Amino acid sequence: MKSSLDLAYLLYCRPHLGGSGVMSLELAKQMRRKGHNVTLISYPGTFLSSEEQEMGINLVQTQAINYPCFKSEPFSETFASVIANLGEEKNLNIIHANYAITHGLAATTAKRILERKGKDLKVLVTSHGSDIHTNGHHHLLAPTIEQILWESDAISFVSESLQTEAEELFPSIKNKGEAIYNFVDTDRFRFSEDERRSIRSAEKIPDGATVIYHASNFRELKNAQDLISIAINDKEEEDARFYFLMVGDGPEKTIMEDKVRSLGLEKYFHFVGKKENVVPYINASDIVVLPSKRESFGLVLLEGMACGRPVIGSRVGGIPEVIQDGENGFLFSKIDELYVFADQIRRNTDLGKRFGEQGKLMASSKFSVDKVVGQYESIYYKMVAGN
Ligand code: GMT
């Protein structure tokens, strides 16, 4: 039997909401369940649920320095010091930095600090998306991101498409990383008729309506406004129309709300804000839609699939690795197709059911906890063994 590891995760954690934080927190919990020692390192204000505390997960937060000459908080430096101090106190095997920028830099800096002190800390950087496909192209960030990835002991990417893009962008890291998909806990993300009924009744959604679920941080690249085109094209009778459950918050939410209001469509769009537990909202829906301009994976789609929902997503980045076109949902390239595909699923309930069943199967095989957590664990052991 292999010995248990001392693992530290540098991550965005609640109250911050976002795919990379959700994923890395879930990974940390799964590793704790496997018997490893787990420490989370995150920002001021981070908190653990009582379940996480009872599991014996440690949380170490950095603090704001608030020195008046600084233009911004030096989080890369404070995180590096937090990791280095922790590595001096105990025999930390691995620091797993989720997101290259800030977190990856702190991890590789801490590695060098500890090296000077005769300690061997291994660094895994997971690229979650915009650290490559958006910020990775920025000339003020690219050289540093490449250096972080180059200095780390191992890199993982949440999709093959993200890995390909990263290796094209930074040839120096070729053959160093591997794609490890995001995963979903199918014990938690599962269909419940009670939840469906309760949310639909609370939101006053008519029984005959087809509900589209969208969750995001409403940044420009999430393209949530394209969903309005579905409502504009909808010619159905009042009670059989498309309704929209919009979960999350972000810069474009108010713009979208204004647009919806000016078009007189506010009855159909339900902006419910940030939710710690999104499962009841997914279950209240009939289709999950992600119309992003760029997306490395699209965790929202996988969560929908686990609950047996058909999914529609734009043909960009890693989405085609999550949606098998015509199998568990549809991929669209042009905005007009969005309405056509949603309408097709609405009219053909057997098709929606078939897509949902296939998605559920994929969630419990290609994207299962056992499979993906096992892949991370095997990287950790390889790193510790020096491979
Ligand atoms: O890279 C980002 O934009 C941040 C990150 C987040 O915290 O939401 O999102 C990314 O990570 C998720 C988890 O791996 C992926 O499911 C998302 O597709 C990805 N977002 C983008 O690529 C835009």
Side-chain angles (χ1 to χ4, degrees):
M1 213 182 82
K2 285 182 167 161
S3 57
S4 60
L5 298 169
D6 277 290
L7 306 170
Y9 292 83
L10 181 45
L11 74 170
Y12 290 111
C13 200
R14 65 171 88 80
H16 173 97
L17 284 180
S20 71
V22 169
M23 232 27 268
S24 36
L25 176 59
E26 199 48 45
L27 177 65
K29 283 159 80 169
Q30 294 294 343
M31 288 299 168
R32 181 70 197 122
R33 286 192 186 113
K34 278 178 165 267
H36 300 295
N37 298 316
V38 168
T39 302
L40 304 184
I41 301 173
S42 200
Y43 292 83
T46 298
F47 59 93
L48 295 182
S49 68
S50 46
E51 182 211 0
E52 289 148 10
Q53 289 172 36
E54 279 156 25
M55 287 171 79
I57 291 179
N58 304 313
L59 170 66
V60 181
Q61 287 159 278
T62 189
Q63 284 166 22
I65 303 283
N66 290 324
Y67 185 67
C69 291
F70 293 162
K71 302 282 183 223
S72 65
E73 278 302 325
F75 282 126
S76 302
E77 290 88 337
T78 58
F79 277 135
S81 303
V82 167
I83 303 164
N85 290 341
L86 201 68
E88 284 223 71
E89 278 165 32
K90 54 194 233 163
N91 193 22
L92 205 55
N93 297 119
I94 281 164
I95 171 83
H96 183 165
N98 285 276
Y99 207 70
I101 298 165
T102 311
H103 303 171
L105 181 58
T108 50
T109 306
K111 179 182 172 68
R112 276 183 273 121
I113 298 173
L114 288 168
E115 218 161 59
R116 183 163 49 82
K117 300 183 175 195
K119 291 212 168 198
D120 184 16
L121 173 70
K122 302 291 186 193
V123 174
L124 169 64
V125 177
T126 293
S127 165
H128 282 271
S130 55
D131 43 7
I132 297 295
H133 63 58
T134 304
N135 295 310
H137 290 268
H138 200 296
H139 71 288
L140 292 178
L141 289 168
T144 310
I145 296 173
E146 182 171 16
Q147 183 66 19
I148 293 162
L149 298 177
W150 187 81
E151 274 187 37
S152 64
D153 295 283
I155 315 164
S156 69
F157 300 93
V158 296
S159 61
E160 287 175 8
S161 116
L162 187 63
Q163 177 176 10
T164 305
E165 186 173 349
E167 291 181 353
E168 276 167 15
L169 194 60
F170 305 132
S172 69
I173 60 154
K174 215 168 169 65
N175 300 324
K176 183 170 175 180
E178 67 181 276
I180 302 185
Y181 289 133
N182 287 324
F183 61 92
V184 65
D185 182 353
T186 47
D187 288 336
R188 204 157 75 74
F189 284 83
R190 58 192 302 170
F191 182 68
S192 146
E193 187 62 49
D194 285 351
E195 287 177 356
R196 178 177 177 85
R197 250 186 266 124
S198 127
I199 297 287
R200 287 178 79 114
S201 133
E203 292 295 324
K204 299 191 176 51
I205 294 172
D207 287 345
T210 300
V211 174
I212 289 181
Y213 169 90
H214 172 84
S216 75
N217 46 22
F218 289 85
R219 282 179 293 160
E220 194 245 336
L221 65 73
K222 293 288 174 181
N223 216 14
Q225 292 193 46
D226 268 8
L227 296 175
I228 301 175
S229 73
I230 301 180
I232 292 174
N233 282 313
D234 201 359
K235 305 283 178 284
E236 266 306 329
E237 296 294 317
E238 195 60 21
D239 280 6
R241 281 186 65 108
F242 284 116
Y243 277 64
F244 300 80
L245 277 176
M246 308 292 291
V247 175
D249 202 356
E252 296 238 313
K253 182 169 158 259
T254 329
I255 304 170
M256 193 173 166
E257 281 172 316
D258 287 347
K259 204 162 166 184
V260 161
R261 216 172 295 120
S262 72
L263 290 163
L265 295 168
E266 63 269 42
K267 180 173 173 192
Y268 310 113
F269 282 85
H270 296 223
F271 292 90
V272 298
K274 288 183 186 175
K275 297 286 164 198
E276 174 75 21
N277 180 16
V278 293
V279 183
Y281 293 87
I282 299 175
N283 283 330
S285 77
D286 302 286
I287 312 174
V288 171
V289 182
L290 194 62
S292 311
K293 292 180 187 165
R294 286 186 298 282
E295 197 71 63
S296 63
F297 183 89
L299 187 58
V300 168
L301 297 167
L302 179 55
E303 292 174 344
M305 284 156 57
C307 295
R309 307 294 91 193
V311 285
I312 301 178
S314 44
R315 199 183 291 276
V316 299
I319 292 182
E321 292 167 61
V322 182
I323 301 183
Q324 278 181 326
D325 200 18
E327 295 290 323
N328 61 325
F330 288 120
L331 289 169
F332 74 94
S333 307
K334 290 193 230 104
I335 183 171
D336 309 348
E337 294 169 337
L338 194 47
Y339 174 75
V340 174
F341 289 147
D343 193 45
Q344 217 168 305
I345 294 173
R346 169 169 65 181
R347 291 186 189 289
N348 186 346
T349 41
D350 285 347
L351 181 73
K353 255 194 211 143
R354 182 160 64 74
F355 282 173
E357 285 307 316
Q358 182 59 25
K360 221 160 58 174
L361 265 178
M362 285 172 68
S364 57
S365 51
K366 185 175 177 181
F367 304 110
S368 74
V369 171
D370 283 354
K371 180 173 177 186
V372 178
V373 173
Q375 287 174 314
Y376 277 113
E377 195 182 34
S378 103
I379 290 205
Y380 295 158
Y381 279 119
K382 272 199 248 165
M383 288 165 76
V384 169
N387 299 329

